[in-house]
Amino acid sequence: MEPAASQGDGKTYTLKELSKHDGTNDTTPALLLGLNGKVYDVSAAANFYGPGAAYSKLAGRDSTRALARASLRAEDIPEADGQAVDASELTESEQATMRSWEQRLAAKYKVCGRLI
């Protein structure tokens, strides 16, 4: 079990709720990114995840499959009305890549909630 601090503030997000945090909505200015069931606040990196930036497709989305596959293809990024990615469906190699991304994100950004 992970320490409580790594679970964020207890907030849960559906894909639809998460999609409001892509940097294009003035009422929800935070840039959030989902990865393996956790939601990270990546607002400090708007130059990477904000509108028009290189990784803007990942903001407001469950980026688990995309980051695990090093892909920005639409089929690897679930839509707001879709289902969150089940990491157990990834290959061993993809899971290793996903864990590497988790470590990178956890070192830089706060976990602000959980993706359901």
Side-chain angles (χ1 to χ4, degrees), residues 25-101:
N25 186 337
D26 291 339
T27 61
T28 53
L31 285 170
L32 304 181
L33 180 150
L35 177 63
N36 196 25
K38 294 179 186 153
V39 177
Y40 295 86
D41 184 341
V42 296
S43 299
N47 56 321
F48 291 114
Y49 300 106
Y55 300 104
S56 63
K57 290 181 180 182
L58 302 179
R61 302 279 189 221
D62 178 358
S63 64
T64 303
R65 188 180 302 114
L67 290 175
R69 293 181 177 170
S71 167
L72 292 176
R73 296 181 312 218
E75 60 265 24
D76 291 327
I77 305 169
E79 292 294 327
D81 59 354
Q83 294 290 317
V85 175
D86 180 352
S88 69
E89 296 174 3
L90 300 172
T91 67
E92 284 184 37
S93 175
E94 290 169 343
Q95 287 184 21
T97 301
M98 177 196 66
R99 286 190 298 275
S100 175
W101 273 105

